[in-house]
Amino acid sequence: MDPIQTLVKNLADKHGRSRESVLPILQGVVEQEKFLSERSMIEIAREIDIPAADVYGTATFYSFLETKPAGKFIIRVCKTITCAMKGKNQVLFAIQEMLKINLGETTPDKQFTLLETNCLGWCHKAPAMLINDEIYTELTPEKVREILTSHMKANANH
Amino acid sequence: MANSHQLKRVDFIFRNENDWEKVLSTTIKKKPQELINALISSELKGRGGAGFPTGLKWKLTAESKEKQKYVICNADEGEPGTFKDREILSRVPYKVLTAMAICGYITGANKGYIYLRGEYKFLLPELNKVIDEFSYYCKEINLDFNIEIFMGSGAYICGEETALMESMEGKRGEPRNKPPFPTQAGYMGKPTVINNVETLVHSFTIFKYGAKKFYDLGVQYSRGTKLFSVSGDTPKPGIYELELGMSLQDFVYEFGDGDTKAVQVGGASGFLVPRKKFKDAAIGFKGKLTGISLPTGGSMMLFNSSRSMFNVLDNYLEFFREESCGQCTPCRVGCQQLLLGIKAVKRGEKPASYLDKLLRLTETMQYTAKCGLGQSVANSFSSIVANFREEMIY
Ligand code: SF4
Ligand code: FES
């Protein structure tokens, strides 16, 4: 068995093989692989015994289930109203400038992917962003640069 | 009179109660019927936005003869401007769990789920710890109730109760036709009580302090307190527990920055109230409050005169266009056309009268869209366009 097969099988062992396990399994693959490849979705379909189209249809419905390759750190900047009012654009520019990528892109070293997202539930501390599951609030361009630098450093040390 | 009602801060929800074990063990010694009656007489209504009477919901589920039933705590908070549920889950999670278990006892459900939005995944380790501790205690008192967390994955529509259940069943989170309602056929087709996080905490208060304590707060048709998520142009952004029925005037007096030109009540799917109507607007459920009454999921966004209401509407519509599940045409196409429409008017490609056409489109959506998302786009659209028409055009 190749790594994807093993991963899907382990997740199915853990969450079960009924339709209700689809989301937890998809989430588990994304956690490990950062995105859902065609291969992994077909594997899930086989493991649970439902059409691959159903797996794909479900996966693409959810914005946190990436179906395109993504970096190790997925940055999601909130673009909803309060964050927009409180300087989300400046924050976004600072990130783009520092990582030299545009929205929707991944850095060539596959470390960072930059996305926008809808309200993160931190409007009283806007602007906000998520890096993977970690939340960062009351952002300014300076603060963002610090945060990214520390991620890069932590990474270099690995 | 609503506008003479003063803003009253209350502290029930975040009050630290370290006796949840006692509340649980004494409550489940009472008869289910007695507890349902208490809930009904408190007049607690759901705090997620729709405002369905909580006691009635539990009663309907309790009456069902089915063996398997479920209790779901809806923690898929996604309305722009809302952040109260996260605060509850991180500060007083045991109150939520206790209320779920009591609900299970009353309705005959032995399984509870918390549907937690993907954006709040960082709460998971702490929550799981509390759940472990809680289950341990349930076993000790021989209460057969089990709670699990189900993670969402970033879809606003999954806050809609039937979409949430579809999602838990491993499908796209598309709202179902109603009826049947979840109380008859919910998760896995079984009777299900689904309540917002805050609603559950209020029921904890009621079980601990009695229905009267709750009922005595608020005003007619809008009893009790409510958590408000305050954001935007305010010197005091944050979460506040306030008595229901306050006038918007008093609210702005307390939370405004002296230059508040409008308040969006109830998030992107709520209503925008302009300055000249603050005096007549009261915050509570639809009903007999004087003047305009504004039901709310608790989101209050303040805008001062430096803000363009066109940008605000544009941002809301963008949100709806992205979050529409796409299942029904009025909403899927409607959201797109509204967004294109206001941009065209702004650029001068369409005459100002085109706004009236768009208003008619929102009316159509209100009547024909399948679920609350598509139906409520009309709220913010028409209240913003009606009150700030110039800003849409020039
Ligand atoms: S109104 Fe919108 S969100 Fe609701 S079912 Fe229709 S398309 Fe989906
Ligand atoms: S608007 Fe950005 S967190 Fe709510």
Side-chain angles (χ1 to χ4, degrees), chain A residues 40-139:
Chain A
S40 68
M41 287 189 271
I42 291 172
E43 213 40 63
I44 294 172
R46 197 195 327 266
E47 197 67 49
I48 301 188
D49 198 16
I50 57 173
D54 270 6
V55 176
Y56 180 78
T58 302
T60 50
F61 186 81
Y62 299 91
S63 62
F64 281 17
L65 299 177
E66 301 297 327
T67 47
K68 276 194 307 203
K72 179 168 170 204
F73 298 111
I74 303 185
I75 308 171
R76 298 173 205 267
V77 181
C78 173
K79 64 168 178 183
T80 313
I81 188 71
T82 314
C83 291
M85 281 161 57
K86 305 278 170 175
K88 160 239 143 189
N89 276 342
Q90 287 86 313
V91 166
L92 205 55
F93 284 138
I95 302 176
Q96 288 174 328
E97 209 178 65
M98 195 166 165
L99 299 179
K100 311 221 163 15
I101 52 172
N102 290 316
L103 260 182
E105 292 178 352
T106 300
T107 50
D109 62 0
K110 304 264 185 309
Q111 289 304 303
F112 295 95
T113 297
L114 179 59
L115 302 172
E116 278 187 326
T117 189
N118 282 323
C119 187
L120 291 168
W122 290 90
C123 328
H124 56 324
K125 296 193 173 160
M129 70 176 179
L130 278 177
I131 299 184
N132 294 349
D133 302 329
E134 205 78 35
I135 185 82
Y136 297 89
T137 58
E138 293 174 304
L139 298 172

Side-chain angles (χ1 to χ4, degrees), chain A residues 27 57 62 79 118-119 121, chain B residues 86 117 171-172 322-323:
Chain A
Q27 289 163 346
Y62 299 91
K79 64 168 178 183
N118 282 323
C119 187
Chain B
R86 186 202 61 240
R117 71 186 300 220
K171 300 173 231 159
R172 298 165 69 88
E322 269 175 31
E323 299 293 345

